[in-house]
Amino acid sequence: LSELLRRFETDSGGSSRLSSSIPAACRSEDCCLGVDEAGRGPVLGPMIYGICFCPLSKKEELKDLKVADSKTLTEAERENLFQKVDEAQSWLGWAVQILSPNMISTSMLQRWHALDSGVQLKEVYVDTVGPAEKYEQKLSQRFPGIQVTVRPKADSLFPVVSAASICAKVARDRLVKGWTFAEDLGEMDSDYGSGYPNDPKTKEWLLKYLDPVFGYPQFVRFSWSTAQTLMDSRAVTEDGEKAAQRQNNRSMLSYFSSSAEGARGQQTHRFFTERRLKSLTSL
């Protein structure tokens, strides 16, 4: 998983899918599949959907792995259980879909990876915080011939969903811990807390790394109300030159200063370096 996650880190602005190999038994036997996510609530970092699937004949063996809702486990316990899931690849498959913060606000309704890979799905179990019956009906219509079960707390009711929950949470934990920032933020403080909006450390980090002109690094979900509120109150508006000065921030015009002025220590923002733009000393 570490090697696969590093591929995403080289381009963390989009979406990426990581998966195990497809067990041969899953292509020939009737299978069950669980779906869960990790990172729905935080304002920082990616959200990850996880799936886990196995033949119906292996349900008891899945129980024997003693998987559980990832939220009830410590990080070490999750890592240990993920290792067991990954070692059972002769009959147990998994996949995670990583949605970067840039992609969070876009919808992603598509055929599941397992179906496209030839897994013979007969039962699907999905976790939800919304109206279970409504989602169950929609999914049943979209995937005829598959028995769909949607339940709140499904990750604590069905082992196959618990396994999916662990895969998603382990992937998110590793990504958030080792996040590679595309922006040059200098000596950046990586102690950003849990990433949840009510976490004091997260709030402090968001205040510290809000650029008055360019907003936040890609690690932040711009569409979340927490980030929007801070940007609305502290970022420079189109005619916000005076407002920016009152807040003791660099003015909008300072980004277009001459190279001589820029030599005072102001770093060139990534917006300009990516487009190979330079300041002119004269017109």
Side-chain angles (χ1 to χ4, degrees), residues 22-218:
I22 305 296
C26 291
R27 299 181 190 273
S28 58
E29 297 184 36
D30 290 348
C31 295
C32 61
L33 177 145
V35 185
D36 201 12
E37 52 71 35
R40 182 175 53 240
V43 67
L44 301 179
M47 180 164 69
I48 298 181
Y49 286 97
I51 62 171
C52 205
F53 49 91
C54 70
L56 297 178
S57 62
K58 295 289 187 179
K59 276 188 173 183
E60 288 304 314
E61 289 186 43
L62 182 56
K63 281 185 182 179
D64 291 341
L65 292 182
K66 300 189 184 303
V67 290
D69 175 7
S70 65
K71 294 185 290 296
T72 67
L73 303 170
T74 66
E75 183 176 350
E77 288 171 333
R78 288 194 296 267
E79 287 280 351
N80 182 53
L81 283 169
F82 175 76
Q83 187 67 30
K84 289 183 178 180
V85 167
D86 200 40
E87 288 172 353
Q89 285 192 32
S90 63
W91 56 273
L92 183 60
W94 60 267
V96 293
Q97 184 81 31
I98 304 171
L99 290 180
S100 71
N102 277 359
M103 296 284 290
I104 290 297
S105 297
T106 64
S107 61
M108 189 187 66
L109 186 59
Q110 60 183 355
R111 290 177 64 86
W112 279 314
H113 164 71
L115 279 178
D116 291 336
S117 301
V119 177
Q120 300 301 303
L121 288 182
K122 293 299 178 182
E123 298 177 8
V124 169
Y125 300 88
V126 184
D127 191 33
T128 182
V129 292
E133 290 183 4
K134 178 182 176 182
Y135 292 138
E136 189 170 287
Q137 183 179 17
K138 281 188 175 182
L139 288 171
S140 295
Q141 290 173 348
R142 184 170 178 81
F143 300 100
I146 297 177
Q147 181 183 328
V148 177
T149 301
V150 180
R151 295 287 185 276
K153 307 292 184 184
D155 46 3
S156 61
L157 297 174
F158 308 106
V160 73
V161 182
S162 301
S165 170
I166 289 166
C167 292
K169 189 71 171 79
V170 167
R172 178 178 155 83
D173 286 347
R174 293 193 192 181
L175 277 174
V176 170
K177 265 189 175 181
W179 189 264
T180 302
F181 284 83
E183 302 82 3
D184 182 6
L185 301 177
E187 293 296 323
M188 195 207 67
D189 180 8
S190 60
D191 187 11
Y192 29 71
S194 67
Y196 282 86
N198 60 352
D199 186 327
K201 284 187 176 180
T202 300
K203 288 180 180 178
E204 183 180 348
W205 191 92
L206 285 168
L207 285 170
K208 184 175 181 179
Y209 290 101
L210 170 60
D211 187 292
V213 175
F214 297 100
Y216 285 112
Q218 293 181 14

